[in-house]
Amino acid sequence: MARLVLKFGGTSVANVERIRNVARHVAREVRAGHQVAVVVSAMSGVTNQLVAYVQDAAKSGTAMSGLYDQMEYDAVVASGEQVTSGLLAIVLQSMGLPARSFQGWQIPLETDEAHGAARIMKIDGDKLIEVMAKGEVAVVAGFQGIGPSGRVATLGRGGSDTSAVAIAAAVKADRCDIYTDVDGVYTTDPRIVPKARRLEKVAFEEMLEMASLGAKVLQVRSVELAMVQKVRTFVRSSFEDPDAVGVDAHGNPPGTLICDEDEIVETQVVTGIAYSKDEAQISLRRVADRPGIAAAVFGPLAEANINVDMIVQNTSADGSVTDITFTVPETEVARARAVLEAAEAEIGKVVIDASTDVVKVSVIGIGMRSHAGVASQAFKALAAKGINIRAITTSEIKISVLIDAAYTELAVRTLHTAYGLDKA
Ligand code: ADP
Ligand code: ASP
Ligand code: MG
């Protein structure tokens, strides 16, 4: 007997028929003698619709500010998961499997007060362990918890992954299965590169980079948590026939295990390619080239909590003025512009250009630590396709380039081929 946490994402619970299919996956594990807790997302599209309602409602004031109270945002958007947890419990009961739904506050899953993107502070696993020990399936509403002031708090988009991994750690589960609409983690997004290959195993550290650089198959925080708490996390498909899941030579179903680096026998130099369209480029033109100018620009941005990622500074031919280019999250462009304008006294009068028509494409692999020349291979491959690089950043295990968004697919496919990742 094992204790399992199974998580089902939005497309897997998109309607009652699919919830019935999910219930069959759950039933299979219960019949195999396992103790099971399930974490569900909202039906696909529902959270987007709820966010749109919030934005619409916030426009109705005379100020037309579009700003809204984050606590009330959470009150609205957490409702999607409440619905699916109740529906799955009903379907399980109708199949003769005892089941009970739980919202975040009922566990309780306690968060900090950062409503809208709250962090999990503490989970009491006792109630869920008790429920499972009685032979009941605990069905937990993902994405939500309870904040310090006793109000519902949500964990940021994609947060049900994090709920699942955190609950798996709290109940000391043997494994956390993340069921989604693809059968594992691929070398890149299989929706844009049909030649992408499924990876059998991915190291926590690599998965962390892939997720934070745009591979939305797992929320970044869920990977952080799995790494720290050593939760064996297995990504797999909910769309396989629940009663006829194929297995490989080792008896494992198709999927990807996120695990420690030393569990991976064969490592490649490059493991995967990710892309993120959530980037914006800001260029400051004709900035006076003097000591302290970088501090004058980036200090106020840091104080305003605006995350600056890639930075490029060109030295001008005559040494008097320079261009400074950097990236911020797309959602922060307006705020960044306001902060820079407010800092005009220190920076001087400059032209601020902003572009959101950019994408960050990244090449990831722990094997890069011990291999030289990985970056130049990317630059050559992109140049051969006539793709211009606007900015570059690198770390020990990744290289990121900023390019025009129009070239996203071409760039991802080109790099995928260049690093020998295409499936045969
Ligand atoms: P869920 O609703 O189940 O949480 P998501 O839509 O959040 O599912 O994540 C699954 C999607 O992630 C896939 O449909 C796929 O398009 C995308 N994706 C991006 N990069 C990858 C990758 N490297 N491997 C697998 N899927 C990826
Ligand atoms: N329903 C939430 C979202 O769409 C959480 C999740 O799906 O993980 O972001
Ligand atoms: Mg998701």
Side-chain angles (χ1 to χ4, degrees), residues 139-212:
V139 185
V140 179
F143 183 50
Q144 52 160 281
I146 178 169
S149 53
R151 304 198 61 91
V152 64
T154 64
L155 308 177
R157 299 305 305 269
S160 297
D161 297 329
T162 304
S163 308
V165 172
I167 286 168
V171 302
K172 303 187 177 58
D174 297 279
R175 211 175 63 224
C176 180
D177 282 354
I178 305 281
Y179 285 83
T180 181
D181 55 7
V182 283
D183 64 356
V185 177
Y186 278 67
T187 44
T188 191
D189 188 346
R191 299 204 190 285
I192 73 159
V193 182
K195 286 182 185 161
R197 273 189 294 117
R198 180 162 57 79
L199 297 158
E200 291 294 314
K201 292 181 178 179
V202 179
F204 287 122
E205 220 181 311
E206 276 174 332
M207 194 62 233
L208 197 57
E209 289 286 3
M210 285 179 67
S212 55

Side-chain angles (χ1 to χ4, degrees), residues 7 9 41 158 161 180 216-219:
K7 180 261 174 177
S41 292
D161 297 329
T180 181
K216 70 165 185 165
V217 60
L218 289 174
Q219 199 201 31

Side-chain angles (χ1 to χ4, degrees), residues 371-402:
H371 281 80
V374 183
S376 68
Q377 220 175 323
F379 305 150
K380 269 188 217 145
L382 294 175
K385 298 284 179 188
I387 300 172
N388 185 40
I389 299 173
R390 293 164 171 248
I392 302 168
T393 50
T394 63
S395 79
E396 228 190 349
I397 65 165
K398 64 118 191 194
I399 302 149
S400 299
V401 295
L402 191 73

Side-chain angles (χ1 to χ4, degrees), residues 114-407:
H115 282 271
R119 273 186 179 272
I120 298 174
M121 303 307 284
K122 189 170 152 233
I123 301 182
D124 186 348
D126 290 353
K127 199 182 286 174
L128 297 178
I129 291 173
E130 202 181 299
V131 168
M132 287 190 273
K134 277 195 299 192
E136 281 185 11
V137 177
V139 185
V140 179
F143 183 50
Q144 52 160 281
I146 178 169
S149 53
R151 304 198 61 91
V152 64
T154 64
L155 308 177
R157 299 305 305 269
S160 297
D161 297 329
T162 304
S163 308
V165 172
I167 286 168
V171 302
K172 303 187 177 58
D174 297 279
R175 211 175 63 224
C176 180
D177 282 354
I178 305 281
Y179 285 83
T180 181
D181 55 7
V182 283
D183 64 356
V185 177
Y186 278 67
T187 44
T188 191
D189 188 346
R191 299 204 190 285
I192 73 159
V193 182
K195 286 182 185 161
R197 273 189 294 117
R198 180 162 57 79
L199 297 158
E200 291 294 314
K201 292 181 178 179
V202 179
F204 287 122
E205 220 181 311
E206 276 174 332
M207 194 62 233
L208 197 57
E209 289 286 3
M210 285 179 67
S212 55
L213 294 167
K216 70 165 185 165
V217 60
L218 289 174
Q219 199 201 31
V220 180
R221 284 181 186 171
S222 72
V223 187
E224 271 167 12
L225 211 59
M227 183 157 94
V228 173
Q229 304 273 355
K230 299 243 175 277
V231 177
R232 286 179 85 74
T233 304
F234 188 62
V235 180
R236 58 190 296 185
S237 169
S238 70
F239 291 104
E240 275 208 66
D241 179 347
D243 300 309
V245 179
V247 287
D248 65 13
H250 309 286
N252 297 320
T256 302
L257 183 69
I258 320 298
C259 58
D260 272 329
E261 198 176 323
D262 39 349
E263 274 192 58
I264 300 176
V265 191
E266 272 176 68
T267 54
Q268 287 189 299
V269 179
V270 169
T271 306
I273 317 283
Y275 65 94
S276 164
K277 293 190 169 167
D278 175 32
E279 310 288 321
Q281 174 185 323
I282 296 185
S283 293
L284 304 183
R285 310 281 181 207
R286 304 188 60 74
V287 183
D289 198 4
R290 59 171 169 78
I293 189 67
V297 171
F298 298 113
L301 290 170
E303 270 159 41
N305 260 327
I306 297 174
N307 214 348
V308 172
D309 180 18
M310 308 169 118
I311 301 177
V312 180
Q313 179 173 350
N314 308 325
T315 14
S316 53
D318 65 0
S320 62
V321 287
T322 177
D323 281 358
I324 298 181
T325 293
F326 55 91
T327 60
V328 297
E330 195 171 2
T331 46
E332 298 282 24
V333 175
R335 236 160 48 84
R337 187 187 279 278
V339 167
L340 293 167
E341 281 167 358
E344 199 187 271
E346 295 79 48
I347 302 171
K349 238 191 157 30
V350 296
V351 178
I352 304 172
D353 288 337
S355 160
T356 52
D357 263 351
V358 291
V359 63
K360 182 168 70 177
V361 179
S362 307
V363 176
I364 299 128
I366 37 182
M368 277 186 211
R369 283 192 200 124
S370 47
H371 281 80
V374 183
S376 68
Q377 220 175 323
F379 305 150
K380 269 188 217 145
L382 294 175
K385 298 284 179 188
I387 300 172
N388 185 40
I389 299 173
R390 293 164 171 248
I392 302 168
T393 50
T394 63
S395 79
E396 228 190 349
I397 65 165
K398 64 118 191 194
I399 302 149
S400 299
V401 295
L402 191 73
I403 60 167
D404 288 350
Y407 295 113

Side-chain angles (χ1 to χ4, degrees), residues 7-11 39-48 50-51 73 77-78 80-81 142-144 154-163 219:
K7 180 261 174 177
F8 295 89
T11 37
V39 175
V40 285
S41 292
M43 293 178 179
S44 66
V46 165
T47 310
N48 286 346
L50 293 170
V51 172
Y73 165 93
V77 301
E81 274 71 9
F143 183 50
Q144 52 160 281
T154 64
L155 308 177
R157 299 305 305 269
S160 297
D161 297 329
T162 304
S163 308
Q219 199 201 31

